[in-house]
Structures are given as structure tokens and as C-alpha cells.
Amino acid sequence: METFTHSEKLMGNMFTFSLVAAREEIFKEWLDAAVAEVKRIEKLLTTYSETSETAQINAQAGIAAVRVSDETFDLIQRSLFLSEITQGAFDITYGGIDKSLWNFDRTMTSLPSPEKALQSVHLVNYKNVILNESEKTVFLKEKGMRLGFGGIGKGFAAEKVKSVLQKVGVTDGIVNASGDLCAWGTQPNGNPWTVGIAHPDLRDAPFSYLSISNKAIATSGTYEKFITINGKRYSHTINPKTGLPVQGIKSVTIIAPNAELADALATPVSVMGIKSGLYLIEQIPEVHAIVIDDQNNLFKTSQIQLK
């Protein structure tokens, strides 16, 4: 048995599949199933296609409720629960933020005023997502509201792929959706998988390692996308309550039982800040966090052990 690996751009991100197989031919069959599943998820969630369920919900914002698949309905329901426990720091209605204020490229030389930034998030409010459980419909109360699954979609996809692969007989593997990954089983030598935690200043250089099996990890950091104005780095992560970039934290890594939960909790910890964010994570069973601030100080929940 050996580990075979393949990387491919899917859902606008790099997905890497590392699976333990007896032969490459078997790995390629499994890979086809994995890629097909990511493409299926993308068709449900993408905002770049008018035919996706997300696009249909957004198009009917303020007009009518939209009937969706059980899968999409359940994901939205779980997302709204996460919004509740993070007091809105996680919010899938962030798609309504005025994108004209935030392009995060070299043409951006100043931040918008606090007043203008606040105005840009007036449509962001998870409480205005109305679900009808018996009809499986979703209604956005305000015209112009938009759902976006950027904060949970990769983890959701990774977990779905893991499920598909386990059903076809994959007992050991890792699905890595651009830093949101789930691992199950072991390496061919029987040892747990070893996962590098990305260095907040060097995208491809891990600052530490974790040994994991049957767990998931997600990392959200300013190294992914940022702008520098007057020598100061501003994260692409926008606080949904203020409309301004979060500050003070360079990266958040979440370890959780599944990739969807890990993905969804990484951003709100950045938004909530170190003290409140770590306090929240300590209250959730089997979930742990590592936070690095702007001065490269490391903070973590009580049960984390780094190599």
C-alpha cells in the first residue's frame, strides 16, 4: 500500500487528494469519484452560475421563497445555527457586502470611511433568512441580500468527498480543500497523518505540525489575501458588523471532528478577537484552536499539543 496524491483546481480553489491504495489504477478510480463529487457540490453552491440553488435564492431576495434540495436546506440551517452561537461573526449573508469597496488589489490605496463601510453591510443579517422546514424553502427578506458559502463551502465539500470515498472503500486518506482538510485512517506505515500548520507570514512554510486521524483542520489567515496601506496589512476577512477588515490576528487554525465545522469556525474567531474567540471554542466539545496575532504571539485552547 502507498499514498497517491493529486491536486486539481475545483470550486476556484486547489483541492489535493491523498489516498492510500494498493495500485495507481485503483487510486485513479477513486479520484474520479472525488472530483465528480466536488463538481456536484459546486453546482449547488456557486454564485457564478444562474442555475445554482444559491443563485436562485439570491435572485428571489425580497420577492419569493425558493424551494431547494434537502442538502442545501440543511447546510443553510446549520449555517444559521453557527451564526447564532457566534453572535453573527459567521454570516452566510455576507454576499450582500458592497464589493465595490473591497477589491483587495494594488489599486486599493485607502480604506473606506467607517460610515461608508457600515453602510456596505446593511444587507448582512442572518436573521433575515427565513426557512420553511416542511416546504424546504429559503427566503431572503430584503431585496439585494445575497447568500455566499465562502466561509463554509470548502469544508462542506471536503466532508462530502470523504463520505463518498469511504463508501467506495477508501479506508485511509486526506482531502485538502486549500487549507480546509479532513483526514481519516492512517498513513501506510500505520502512523497518524501529520499535517503542517501554515506559517502566517510564509504561505508554504509550516510553523508547526499536528498528528491527526479522523479529524479535520481549517486555517484562515491574512497571508491568503490582503492589502497593504501605509505599511499596514489589512486582511480580506471583513467583520460583517462593521464592514471593515478584522485586525490584530494573522491566522486562526481550528481542529474539529469534521471539515465543515472547522472551516466555518475559523473566520468568526478572527472577527470576535482572541479572548472571545478562544472562549467560544473552549465551549464546543472536541473543537480546538490556535491563533497567531499581529506580533506573532501564539494563543491556543487548553488541550492543543504542538510538535
Side-chain angles (χ1 to χ4, degrees):
M1 302 291 280
E2 64 177 296
T3 304
F4 295 91
T5 298
H6 173 82
S7 297
E8 187 169 330
K9 193 164 187 183
L10 299 159
M11 290 177 67
N13 293 277
M14 195 58 71
F15 276 66
T16 300
F17 308 95
S18 301
L19 310 176
V20 177
R23 299 190 313 277
E24 190 172 8
E25 296 78 23
I26 297 172
F27 169 71
K28 285 181 177 175
E29 284 180 24
W30 291 343
L31 181 64
D32 288 344
V35 170
E37 178 66 359
V38 179
K39 289 180 176 176
R40 185 188 71 80
I41 297 296
E42 183 172 24
K43 283 181 181 174
L44 284 179
L45 304 185
T46 183
T47 54
Y48 295 103
S49 164
E50 292 179 10
T51 59
S52 77
E53 292 187 338
T54 309
Q56 290 169 32
I57 294 166
N58 292 345
Q60 293 298 311
I63 302 168
V66 175
R67 190 180 178 91
V68 297
S69 63
D70 288 359
E71 201 170 20
T72 301
F73 186 90
D74 292 347
L75 176 61
I76 293 171
Q77 197 168 49
R78 292 194 300 275
S79 297
L80 296 183
F81 172 74
L82 287 164
S83 294
E84 285 286 345
I85 68 169
T86 62
Q87 300 177 325
F90 174 84
D91 196 326
I92 55 170
T93 67
Y94 79 91
I97 292 176
D98 184 351
K99 296 296 189 293
S100 66
L101 295 185
W102 303 112
N103 49 12
F104 286 97
D105 61 22
R106 290 177 185 175
T107 65
M108 192 168 183
T109 55
S110 63
L111 294 179
S113 67
E115 296 77 22
K116 196 170 183 183
L118 193 59
Q119 190 180 359
S120 80
V121 295
H122 76 283
L123 291 172
V124 179
N125 186 349
Y126 70 94
K127 292 180 179 177
N128 285 336
V129 181
I130 311 302
L131 301 183
N132 183 320
E133 184 124 32
S134 60
E135 297 290 327
K136 298 295 183 199
T137 61
V138 183
F139 177 56
L140 305 183
K141 280 175 74 173
E142 301 283 337
K143 212 172 176 77
M145 279 183 73
R146 288 174 59 83
L147 296 187
F149 293 99
I152 196 170
K154 295 197 308 280
F156 173 69
E159 208 59 42
K160 284 287 186 179
V161 170
K162 172 189 167 184
S163 179
V164 164
L165 290 172
Q166 287 181 320
K167 282 175 185 168
V168 297
V170 183
T171 57
D172 312 275
I174 294 179
V175 177
N176 185 349
S178 280
D180 301 332
L181 65 86
C182 53
W184 68 103
T186 62
Q187 298 181 61
N189 62 10
N191 291 333
W193 296 102
T194 300
V195 176
I197 307 298
H199 193 288
D201 296 321
L202 305 165
R203 181 68 179 93
D204 298 317
F207 80 87
S208 188
Y209 292 88
L210 286 170
S211 291
I212 63 164
S213 185
N214 303 313
K215 283 191 172 61
I217 294 181
T219 299
S220 175
T222 56
Y223 56 79
E224 295 167 323
K225 197 175 183 183
F226 61 90
I227 51 169
T228 303
I229 298 173
N230 297 328
K232 188 169 183 180
R233 180 190 286 193
Y234 292 93
S235 163
H236 76 294
T237 303
I238 303 297
N239 184 327
K241 294 178 180 177
T242 65
L244 291 167
V246 299
Q247 292 183 42
I249 292 177
K250 278 187 178 178
S251 81
V252 175
T253 297
I254 302 290
I255 300 98
N258 72 76
E260 178 189 305
L261 183 61
D263 187 9
L265 287 174
T267 298
V269 170
S270 297
V271 172
M272 294 169 79
I274 296 167
K275 188 176 179 183
S276 298
L278 290 181
Y279 179 79
L280 168 72
I281 299 302
E282 290 277 17
Q283 312 311 305
I284 306 172
E286 298 182 73
V287 178
H288 315 283
I290 302 163
V291 180
I292 299 174
D293 71 7
D294 280 350
Q295 282 74 48
N296 286 344
N297 297 310
L298 188 147
F299 303 84
K300 61 186 182 66
T301 47
S302 55
Q303 295 184 15
I304 286 285
Q305 290 184 327
L306 296 171
K307 285 188 173 183

